[in-house]
């Protein structure tokens, strides 16, 4: 406990240093925090990659969902504090006032802090994207091509680490994580992504397999929560702390609670399984138009535009259980739209156009 307090106090000093010297980069750091938001995986990265390479897109959803599930379990096991409330409650500063940490609208997350979900989600998804991009160059055998492959390898991994470091600094800067929490998140995300590099079975998973996986993840998490609750261990201990010490009550969002992330991810995985095993997907993405560049570009543009409309759909938060149900449905609709609905509409439009031209 003493060692952890010292680790936290050193982390507070780093946060204060960042907030004091990097105020000019505040907007950039806030932006990088949004870049690491796991929700961007479903609304930006996935639509782009699935239409370019369905294998990579499918892997991305699995990595994001399983990674975030492990993140939830780790958070419940490690009981990690967040800086913005820890400095208010710790007894390590008995003879002086607590350090003043500036808070921002995205500071007041309500779940435990270790490991960082943003850092873990960012590292696992970018790991998938970088390894996928490099897989296209690894076959180059000629000497000149081999040199180009090495340059590409160095460039992409440099981009990877620049993004991860920026996301980590941003999460520490806004006082929502200690430095050791973001470091742990990055390496945990890489481990999850690497595990899925050797799991080809997800590419041929049936809808039944998707449903079984969803049920297992939900039942295990809920069972873990209820079991510890019977032992008088409250895994939602962090929510009251967040509400108590957040500088602005309006910054508290139910969408950041542990179960909200679980429901969101289970919905995304179910929507992917439903879409991939649908007739619309087989007709459009497995048909003759699927190889056309124009078809893929139209699907990307239409998917990104359609998913941005989902941001305008505000889920009511007055009833917690209703919020979880509607959040699951909304999350399931996003990959279903990308995988089945949009490609089928584009396929039908192109087929109609071809018939008119003939």
């Amino acid at each position: 406990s003493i060692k952890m307090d010292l680790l936290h106090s050193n982390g507070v000093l780093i946060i204060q240093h960042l907030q004091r010297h990097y105020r000019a980069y505040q907007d950039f750091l806030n932006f990088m925090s949004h870049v690491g938001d796991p929700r961007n995986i479903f609304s930006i990265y996935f639509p782009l990659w699935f239409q370019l390479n369905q294998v990579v897109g499918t892997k991305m959803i699995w990595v994001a969902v399983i990674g975030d599930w492990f993140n939830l379990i780790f958070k419940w096991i490690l009981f990690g504090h967040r800086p913005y409330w820890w400095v208010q409650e710790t007894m390590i500063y008995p003879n002086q006032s607590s350090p003043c940490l500036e808070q921002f609208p995205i500071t007041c997350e309500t779940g435990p802090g270790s490991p960082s979900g943003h850092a873990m989600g960012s590292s696992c998804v970018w790991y998938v994207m970088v390894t996928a991009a490099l897989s296209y160059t690894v076959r180059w055998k000629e000497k000149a091509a081999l040199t180009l492959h090495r340059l590409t390898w160095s460039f992409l991994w440099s981009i990877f680490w620049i993004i991860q470091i920026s996301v980590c600094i941003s999460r520490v800067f806004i006082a929502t994580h200690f430095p050791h929490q973001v470091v742990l998140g990055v390496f945990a995300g890489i481990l999850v992504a690497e595990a899925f590099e050797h799991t080809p079975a997800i590419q041929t998973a049936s809808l039944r397999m998707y449903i079984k996986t969803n049920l297992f993840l939900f039942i295990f998490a809920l069972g873990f929560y209820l079991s510890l609750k019977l032992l008088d261990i409250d895994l939602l201990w962090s929510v009251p702390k967040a509400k108590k010490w957040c500088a602005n009550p309006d910054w508290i969002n139910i969408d950041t609670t542990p179960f909200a992330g679980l429901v969101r991810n289970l919905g995304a995985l179910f929507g992917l399984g439903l879409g991939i095993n649908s007739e619309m997907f087989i007709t459009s993405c497995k048909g003759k138009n699927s190889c056309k560049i124009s078809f893929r570009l139209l699907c990307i543009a239409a998917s990104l535009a359609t998913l941005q409309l989902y941001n305008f759909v505000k889920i009511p938060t007055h009833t917690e259980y209703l919020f979880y149900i509607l959040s699951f449905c909304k999350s399931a609709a996003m990959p279903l739209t990308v995988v089945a609905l949009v490609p089928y509409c584009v396929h039908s439009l192109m087929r109609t156009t071809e018939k008119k031209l003939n």
Side-chain angles (χ1 to χ4, degrees):
S1 177
I2 296 176
K3 289 182 178 180
M4 187 57 68
D5 282 344
L6 290 174
L7 186 63
H8 284 162
S9 63
N10 289 333
V12 169
L13 292 175
I14 294 173
I15 295 169
Q16 287 182 303
H17 177 80
L18 287 173
Q19 291 186 344
R20 190 180 304 115
H21 292 89
Y22 290 86
R23 194 169 302 278
Y25 302 103
Q26 178 177 325
D27 291 338
F28 170 75
L29 292 173
N30 284 332
F31 170 75
M32 289 308 302
S33 187
H34 285 293
V35 168
D37 193 331
R39 286 168 288 195
N40 289 331
I41 298 168
F42 308 120
S43 61
I44 299 176
Y45 303 142
F46 171 66
L48 285 170
W49 273 97
F50 186 82
Q51 305 302 344
L52 295 174
N53 189 316
Q54 293 169 11
V55 172
V56 177
T58 301
K59 185 193 299 182
M60 186 177 292
I61 291 289
W62 277 89
V63 166
V65 170
I66 301 300
D68 208 55
W69 183 83
F70 273 115
N71 182 262
L72 172 65
I73 301 300
F74 289 152
K75 283 179 184 293
W76 279 347
I77 293 173
L78 297 177
F79 282 78
H81 290 274
R82 292 186 186 271
Y84 75 93
W85 76 57
W86 182 83
V87 294
Q88 305 294 338
E89 297 188 343
T90 182
M91 302 301 295
I92 204 170
Y93 308 105
N95 298 321
Q96 54 184 312
S97 60
S98 300
C100 181
L101 298 183
E102 185 177 355
Q103 296 185 24
F104 303 88
I106 57 176
T107 295
C108 300
E109 297 203 7
T110 57
S114 187
S116 166
H118 281 65
M120 191 168 174
S122 175
S123 65
C124 70
V125 169
W126 278 92
Y127 188 92
V128 169
M129 290 192 287
V130 169
T131 52
L134 289 175
S135 67
Y136 290 102
T137 65
V138 75
R139 302 182 186 90
W140 297 345
K141 301 297 183 181
E142 297 82 2
K143 187 175 181 180
L146 186 60
T147 302
L148 182 59
H149 166 70
R150 289 173 178 170
L151 289 173
T152 305
W153 187 94
S154 300
F155 173 75
L156 290 179
W157 283 118
S158 297
I159 293 296
F160 172 84
W161 284 111
I162 288 172
I163 290 174
Q164 303 321 310
I165 292 171
S166 298
V167 169
C168 290
I169 291 175
S170 71
R171 301 302 289 172
V172 173
F173 173 81
I174 64 174
T176 199
H177 284 296
F178 290 103
H180 68 277
Q181 295 173 344
V182 293
V183 172
L184 179 60
V186 168
F187 287 103
I190 292 174
L191 287 175
V192 172
E194 181 60 29
F196 275 88
E197 291 292 319
H198 311 285
T199 314
I202 60 175
Q203 302 297 335
T204 56
S206 63
L207 179 58
R208 187 175 182 180
M209 186 64 180
Y210 276 91
I211 294 174
K212 284 183 176 180
T213 304
N214 256 19
L215 287 174
F216 170 78
L217 297 177
F218 178 73
I219 292 172
F220 185 96
L222 183 62
F224 188 72
Y225 169 78
L226 294 176
S227 297
L228 291 184
K229 193 171 185 179
L230 289 174
L231 297 174
D232 203 27
I233 300 175
D234 183 16
L235 292 180
L236 299 181
W237 59 274
S238 59
V239 178
K241 291 182 180 292
K243 291 180 178 179
K244 181 179 180 181
W245 297 114
C246 184
N248 187 340
D250 293 335
W251 294 347
I252 296 290
N253 193 338
I254 191 176
D255 200 32
T256 65
T257 58
F259 278 112
L262 175 65
V263 169
R264 182 172 58 247
N265 287 301
L266 294 182
L269 188 62
F270 176 73
L272 175 66
L274 197 62
I276 284 182
N277 291 280
S278 68
E279 287 296 326
M280 287 189 292
F281 171 77
I282 295 172
T283 301
S284 56
C285 293
K286 297 296 183 181
K288 62 178 183 179
N289 283 329
S290 62
C291 297
K292 296 180 179 178
I293 298 297
S294 57
F295 172 80
R296 296 188 179 187
L297 292 177
L298 283 172
C299 285
I300 290 174
S303 296
L304 290 173
T306 304
L307 292 185
Q308 297 314 306
L309 297 177
Y310 282 103
N311 294 330
F312 295 101
V313 179
K314 301 301 180 183
I315 301 175
T317 58
H318 58 276
T319 305
E320 192 170 1
Y321 293 110
L322 177 62
F323 172 83
Y324 289 146
I325 293 172
L326 294 179
S327 180
F328 178 89
C329 295
K330 179 181 177 180
S331 299
M334 295 177 75
L336 182 61
T337 298
V338 174
V339 172
L341 296 178
V342 166
Y344 184 78
C345 291
V346 173
H347 170 77
S348 300
L349 179 64
M350 292 181 68
R351 188 174 59 181
T352 302
T353 304
E354 288 174 359
K355 286 183 178 179
K356 287 182 178 180
L357 292 175
N358 294 332

